[in-house]
Amino acid sequence: GIQVEQSPPDLILQEGANSTLRCNFSDSVNNLQWFHQNPWGQLINLFYIPSGTKQNGRLSATTVATERYSLLYISSSQTTDSGVYFCAVLISFNAGNMLTFGGGTRLMVKP
Amino acid sequence: EPEVTQTPSHQVTQMGQEVILRCVPISNHLYFYWYRQILGQKVEFLVSFYNNEISEKSEIFDDQFSVERPDGSNFTLKIRSTKLEDSAMYFCASRSGTARNQPQHFGDGTRLSIL
């Protein structure tokens, strides 16, 4: 099956710093989603981004499908950005699709 | 914005007991999913459901698991005889049927603890 690799696995930032999280995938995908898992375990959908660049406040994401990677940028990080960031790629089959998740990047933002 | 709703938020069950996790997908969605996340690990696909039948399932989804859409709004995951290793966060998701690559919308999860 498809492999989804995220880097770095762990990241510690000082509040206000910027960061880039990477997601590599081993095969063509129909789409890609980025999630933030907060300390309560909730999966918050950040971006749905098959290709190109999207921005939402301090966050932006870029997917280059032809080169099989996606990047998540966090600018001016805040302590509330702490948590685990997952990318998930969408694989289609006959009757629908499924998401395959990467291993996540665990982010800690220190005040 | 419409949400996927899951109940209960936390379920504690004795090993060997049956458990039913409940989900109310977004009302006009046609595709439904269950995912599982063991503590500290990544989220794993369990099963997808469309048109009142399972369309895909993973190796994790063995005979102890079943899914059902008992009425027009609920989507349930049943674990027949729970084991310690079933302890995990279970997420329900749904998506619309308008196009195959539409995003999946996730509920807040049910944390299942098997004692």
Side-chain angles (χ1 to χ4, degrees), chain A residues 1-2 89-100, chain B residues 30-36 44-62 65-68 75-77 93 95 100 104:
Chain A
I2 193 167
V89 299
L90 196 72
I91 310 297
S92 289
F93 43 86
N94 287 340
N97 57 30
M98 58 176 276
L99 287 172
T100 298
Chain B
L30 301 178
Y31 296 83
F32 314 112
Y33 308 84
W34 285 101
Y35 291 83
R36 180 185 81 174
E44 301 172 289
F45 169 77
L46 289 179
V47 66
S48 62
F49 191 87
Y50 169 72
N51 200 25
N52 282 321
E53 60 182 19
I54 291 173
S55 49
E56 188 75 19
K57 60 182 181 179
S58 71
E59 292 177 351
I60 303 168
F61 194 88
D62 62 21
F65 291 88
S66 62
V67 290
E68 193 178 29
F75 179 51
T76 62
L77 174 69
R95 75 169 177 94
R100 186 177 278 188
Q104 295 181 17

Side-chain angles (χ1 to χ4, degrees), chain A residues 44-67:
Chain A
I44 311 300
N45 190 41
L46 298 177
F47 292 101
Y48 164 70
I49 181 165
S51 63
T53 298
K54 290 187 178 180
Q55 180 148 11
N56 184 3
R58 296 180 296 103
L59 302 182
S60 65
T62 295
T63 296
V64 184
T66 52
E67 298 186 23

Side-chain angles (χ1 to χ4, degrees), chain A:
Chain A
I2 193 167
Q3 303 298 312
V4 182
E5 301 290 336
Q6 290 187 243
S7 59
D10 296 280
L11 185 59
I12 300 174
L13 296 177
Q14 206 63 39
E15 196 168 29
N18 303 327
S19 64
T20 301
L21 282 56
R22 188 175 181 100
C23 174
N24 291 332
F25 41 97
S26 61
D27 207 345
S28 300
V29 299
N30 298 101
N31 218 317
L32 186 144
Q33 291 182 243
W34 280 99
F35 297 89
H36 174 216
Q37 187 166 41
N38 63 23
W40 295 271
Q42 297 169 322
L43 281 172
I44 311 300
N45 190 41
L46 298 177
F47 292 101
Y48 164 70
I49 181 165
S51 63
T53 298
K54 290 187 178 180
Q55 180 148 11
N56 184 3
R58 296 180 296 103
L59 302 182
S60 65
T62 295
T63 296
V64 184
T66 52
E67 298 186 23
R68 299 178 184 169
Y69 73 89
S70 184
L71 303 173
L72 178 69
Y73 305 95
I74 305 175
S75 65
S76 305
S77 57
Q78 300 175 358
T79 55
T80 51
D81 294 332
S82 296
V84 185
Y85 289 80
F86 289 103
C87 73
V89 299
L90 196 72
I91 310 297
S92 289
F93 43 86
N94 287 340
N97 57 30
M98 58 176 276
L99 287 172
T100 298
F101 283 74
T105 292
R106 187 174 302 275
L107 174 65
M108 181 184 296
V109 181
K110 293 186 172 182

